Amino acid sequence: MADVFTERDLRVLTALAETFVEGPVDGRVAAAAEALEAVVDPNQLAQLRLVLRALDSRAANLVLAGRPTPFTRMSADDREAVLLGWAGSRLGQRRSAFAAYRKLFTFLGYADPDAAADDPRLVALGYRPDDPAVPTELAAVRRFAPPQPDADGWSTLDADVVVVGSGAGGGVIAADLSAAGRSVVVLEAGPFVDESTMPRREVDAFAQLYLDRGLLSTWDGSITLLAGAAVGGGTLVNWMTSIDTPEDVRLEWASDHGLEHVVGPGWSAEVAALEAELAVAVATHIPPKDAVILRGARELGWDAAATRRDARECGDCGSCGFGCRRGTKRSGIRAHLATASARAARIVADARVTRVIVERGIVEGVEAELGEGRRLRVHAATVVVAAGALRTPAVLQRSGIGHPALGRYLRIHPVPVVAGRFDERIEMWRGTLQAARSLEFSETTADRRGYVIESAPGHPGLLALALPWEGRAAHAALMADSAHLGPLIAVTRDGGEGRVSLTRAGTVRLDYRLDESGVATMRHALVSMARLARAAGAGSIVATGTPGAWWHGSRGESFERYVETLRATDFRPNRASVFSAHQLGTARMGADPVVHPCDPWGRVRVGPRGDQAIHGLYVGDGSLCPTGLGVNPMITIMAMARHVGRTVLADA
Ligand SMILES: Cc1cc2nc3c(=O)[nH]c(=O)nc-3n(C[C@H](O)[C@H](O)[C@H](O)COP(=O)(O)OP(=O)(O)OC[C@H]3O[C@@H](n4cnc5c(N)ncnc54)[C@H](O)[C@@H]3O)c2cc1C
Ligand code: SF4
């Protein structure tokens, strides 16, 4: 049990957990307290504790809720009324606090560490966790154990190249450089998880495989972000949809950012080679949640097709977000990291890089924490930072490497969510994750940015977090009926941008704001998804948010009036829901030294005008993308990383 929270705090947390979702709460409260203490910035944690104290104070409740009763002594109805008051408050801080506790306790309410497979909450949904068989041949990545530490706890290694982070970008660079005969060390902050140890339960998957245990959000709590954080990074947990970078995006990168390598036949050849390495193929199983997209689009005359994905001949289990126990997915541990490992790259898990060592403008290696007081120093003349767009700027900044644009221009592909209710069972947690997509609105127009419509495969915890909470009974009823929900998401090309920065406590802070075009895009996408769901036969529809925006066809409600409501959706923080699983742009590549922290070949620039270089230092991940793409970015990131790998070889 965490020790930041007092007994009194824990009593209020218990009351909150009970108010959000019914059922035994001890495990949920312990997990919540432990997770908050482990991943939340100390300042934010202090704010969240203040909220607990305010909720438990007679005086504060008299002022805030008109009742001189501590939250823990209120009736269930009164507690609910207090929370709904916070949900709809005009004060942003109260909405933020509500959002933080709502997400935590609805997630843990259904991804409960204490829940058995026959738990009534899961039985009501008809949810059974998958238990696919582990293959006889496990992923062929050998873990490398650093040598014994010296008396001060330091282990030391030598290499030609250190790659920081083992995700989409880091994996490709490690494979390519080790294939070229370089001695490569890959340092990954997260654990190594192969098929035999892959989690089966949602709660364990989030704790082991996701950045900040899946509790990641913007500083104001309004945007929920998911990113992978184990060996394989995002590739281990992602949904495998493989789409090439749209041509108009590449033309913009060439003309506005000076990236010549992204245009011309060389790019297509690069993507084709990567697709072959990942065994990308068209999805052959179309589960009900994706049939919704194909059916609705056919009715409307819109574009839609089966997706291409990096797994073959599977589609019955749907655990791809928990890794892939069958080993069918061509994630890093099956593809590029396996190649790197076969070519003698040393892959060290649970090694968090704290500093890039730079002496007189020349890279000399990195330092990493291995846990339990152990540290690792790797001497290398080349360092490629590929810690993902949310962490790469922090690794560089903590090393004293400064550039005015480092951490800026964060793009997140903001995602709005709509769910249609269908007569048939959809069971969104089962089957190929994103088997179909519609590119009907993928081009940017004068009044909005481009977006792709896809499905979202929610398991109960994520689903409970995403659906509107309009009271405990209403949420439980919605969850109990959720097997009939067909979820739609729109991956939008950002209208707006954000920033990654370090807090005083040294933690990473994320901020993001939609701009006018971003809001117009999100509203447009909500309307399109509602039309698609209706055309596919949905009898009722909800656009997720606080509160949700509902249409009930069976009650004779006007659909066109609903569309007008969606066109006016409030996207101020913590109103309509916004999600992100794609993060890009925080160390972007380009020709202008002032606004691009990396040159067009991935070399890191420094200094107030960006006109100095650090010899031997490169970035190799999604941070490099100069803008958002509006489509799933894995293939693009890998192609950018391959380009950086070539630069490293040419420079050496
Ligand atoms: C749930 C989910 C679904 C997705 N679905 C799709 C999809 O269907 N199609 C698609 O194209 N894309 C998808 N994506 C996005 C895609 O997976 C990511 O954009 C991609 O993996 C990002 O690659 P990257 O190299 O930039 O970073 P990542 O893959 O995130 O890798 C960064 C790695 O660096 C590690 N790291 C961080 N800090 C340090 C440090 N200090 N020291 C050492 N290591 C560190 C992290 O633990 C992580 O493993 C999805 C992502 C998620 C989370
Ligand atoms: S559906 Fe996903 S988790 Fe299941 S075998 Fe296929 S890739 Fe793996």
Side-chain angles (χ1 to χ4, degrees):
M1 172 69 72
D3 48 16
V4 162
F5 292 96
T6 63
E7 284 301 316
R8 189 176 163 195
D9 292 338
L10 292 171
R11 276 200 300 277
V12 187
L13 282 176
T14 302
L16 279 169
E18 285 166 352
T19 311
F20 279 113
V21 178
E22 203 173 351
V25 291
D26 287 355
R28 287 188 257 163
V29 171
E34 210 255 318
L36 287 171
E37 187 181 340
V39 303
V40 174
D41 177 80
N43 255 323
Q44 284 194 310
L45 197 55
Q47 292 298 321
L48 288 173
R49 289 192 60 211
L50 273 181
V51 171
L52 298 180
R53 275 188 239 141
L55 281 171
D56 207 33
S57 141
R58 282 172 205 279
N61 275 313
L62 183 59
V63 176
L64 297 174
R67 299 173 184 82
T69 317
F71 189 74
T72 45
R73 301 219 195 115
M74 285 178 191
S75 68
D77 285 351
D78 284 352
R79 285 182 195 172
E80 195 168 286
V82 167
L83 292 183
L84 289 171
W86 285 54
S89 171
R90 278 182 296 132
L91 299 177
Q93 277 182 328
R94 276 192 216 162
R95 293 203 309 277
S96 279
F98 170 78
Y101 285 121
R102 174 188 66 80
K103 288 182 197 176
L104 189 59
F105 283 122
T106 51
F107 175 79
L108 286 170
Y110 286 86
D112 186 341
D114 285 348
D118 61 354
D119 185 278
R121 284 162 291 179
L122 302 181
V123 170
L125 272 76
Y127 176 83
R128 285 269 176 284
D130 295 318
D131 196 8
V134 171
T136 39
E137 274 187 41
L138 301 179
V141 172
R142 283 191 309 276
R143 270 163 291 181
F144 181 82
Q148 282 305 308
D150 63 17
D152 295 326
W154 284 93
S155 301
T156 308
L157 289 173
D158 291 300
D160 295 331
V161 183
V162 182
V163 181
V164 180
S166 65
V172 167
I173 289 181
D176 291 0
L177 297 186
S178 48
R182 300 294 185 275
S183 102
V184 174
V185 168
V186 180
L187 300 181
E188 166 56 52
F192 177 79
V193 184
D194 67 10
E195 289 85 4
S196 65
T197 47
M198 232 154 234
R200 292 171 213 201
R201 301 188 313 164
E202 194 178 9
V203 66
D204 302 325
F206 273 72
Q208 287 176 41
L209 309 182
Y210 287 80
L211 190 58
D212 282 357
R213 305 180 185 206
L215 284 182
L216 200 62
S217 71
T218 45
W219 193 255
D220 61 12
S222 65
I223 303 178
T224 305
L225 302 108
L226 295 176
V231 172
T235 71
L236 194 71
V237 295
N238 78 15
W239 302 348
M240 299 172 295
T241 300
S242 300
I243 304 183
D244 189 2
T245 328
E247 193 179 5
D248 59 334
V249 172
R250 290 189 287 117
L251 290 172
E252 184 188 323
W253 288 3
S255 64
D256 297 1
H257 300 276
L259 299 192
E260 283 165 18
H261 75 278
V262 301
V263 284
W267 180 267
S268 306
E270 199 90 292
V271 167
L274 282 162
E275 288 196 346
E277 288 156 35
L278 296 177
V280 170
V282 176
T284 47
H285 296 66
I286 307 288
K289 68 180 168 36
D290 298 284
V292 163
I293 295 180
L294 298 180
R295 197 165 65 234
R298 199 166 47 240
E299 285 295 314
L300 294 166
W302 290 0
D303 164 87
T307 48
R308 291 162 56 71
R309 59 197 289 265
D310 59 335
R312 281 207 177 131
E313 302 305 326
C314 71
D316 53 336
C317 78
S319 296
C320 328
F322 306 173
C324 168
R325 273 173 71 78
R326 278 195 205 146
T328 309
K329 180 199 261 200
R330 295 283 294 167
S331 64
I333 61 168
R334 286 267 160 191
H336 294 108
L337 293 170
T339 305
S341 192
R343 307 246 160 88
R346 288 162 283 172
I347 298 171
V348 186
D350 301 304
R352 179 179 306 282
V353 171
T354 49
R355 186 168 87 93
V356 179
I357 310 166
V358 179
E359 292 293 338
R360 291 180 294 283
I362 299 175
V363 154
E364 296 199 342
V366 301
E367 291 176 357
E369 284 172 356
L370 301 175
E372 297 171 356
R374 285 190 57 193
R375 293 171 157 266
L376 172 67
R377 187 174 293 119
V378 187
H379 299 292
T382 301
V383 172
V384 184
V385 184
L390 300 179
R391 292 294 182 261
T392 282
V395 170
L396 295 174
Q397 284 160 349
R398 284 189 187 120
S399 311
I401 294 165
H403 183 283
L406 188 61
R408 292 185 54 204
Y409 305 110
L410 170 66
R411 301 299 204 277
I412 61 166
H413 286 169
V415 166
V417 181
V418 159
R421 203 275 176 195
F422 296 86
D423 288 341
E424 70 270 27
R425 283 180 78 80
I426 300 281
E427 299 194 348
M428 66 174 85
W429 47 82
R430 218 168 276 299
T432 303
L433 264 71
Q434 294 184 314
R437 91 288 180 274
S438 169
L439 298 179
E440 181 70 21
F441 303 99
S442 62
E443 299 222 339
T444 294
T445 60
D447 57 344
R448 58 155 181 84
R449 317 278 293 159
Y451 59 88
V452 182
I453 299 176
E454 297 169 348
S455 66
H459 284 248
L462 189 58
L463 181 57
L465 175 158
L467 288 174
W469 190 87
E470 293 162 351
R472 186 170 79 177
H475 186 260
L478 190 53
M479 284 300 292
D481 191 46
S482 62
H484 291 268
L485 294 181
L488 297 171
I489 59 171
V491 173
T492 69
R493 194 182 302 180
D494 300 52
E497 67 183 42
R499 183 175 203 134
V500 174
S501 54
L502 289 179
T503 66
R504 254 189 249 158
T507 61
V508 178
R509 170 178 173 151
L510 309 174
D511 294 279
Y512 188 91
R513 277 284 177 278
L514 290 166
D515 64 16
E516 212 178 303
S517 74
V519 171
T521 308
M522 301 290 274
R523 289 174 174 166
H524 195 281
L526 285 179
V527 171
S528 304
M529 292 190 288
R531 288 200 190 286
L532 192 64
R534 185 176 184 233
S540 53
I541 296 172
V542 60
T544 66
T546 306
W550 291 91
W551 172 73
H552 296 286
S554 54
R555 294 184 199 159
E557 292 174 4
S558 155
F559 186 75
E560 288 312 315
R561 201 166 304 145
Y562 180 56
V563 164
E564 287 313 311
T565 311
L566 295 181
R567 284 201 178 116
T569 303
D570 186 349
F571 274 101
R572 283 175 300 163
N574 293 309
R575 301 279 195 189
S577 302
V578 183
F579 295 85
S580 159
H582 307 159
Q583 298 91 27
L584 308 163
T586 51
R588 58 189 195 159
M589 189 187 241
D592 184 339
V594 179
V595 298
H596 297 107
C598 293
D599 77 6
W601 296 271
R603 304 181 190 105
V604 175
R605 294 174 164 138
V606 288
R609 299 165 59 81
D611 51 1
Q612 297 154 40
I614 295 185
H615 189 73
L617 182 59
Y618 303 81
V619 167
D621 59 21
S623 322
L624 293 170
C625 296
T627 66
L629 331 172
V631 300
N632 314 57
M634 176 182 70
I635 286 281
T636 304
I637 293 170
M638 289 181 169
M640 303 282 267
R642 181 149 282 170
H643 171 70
V644 174
R646 284 204 193 95
T647 310
V648 170
L649 292 173
D651 284 353

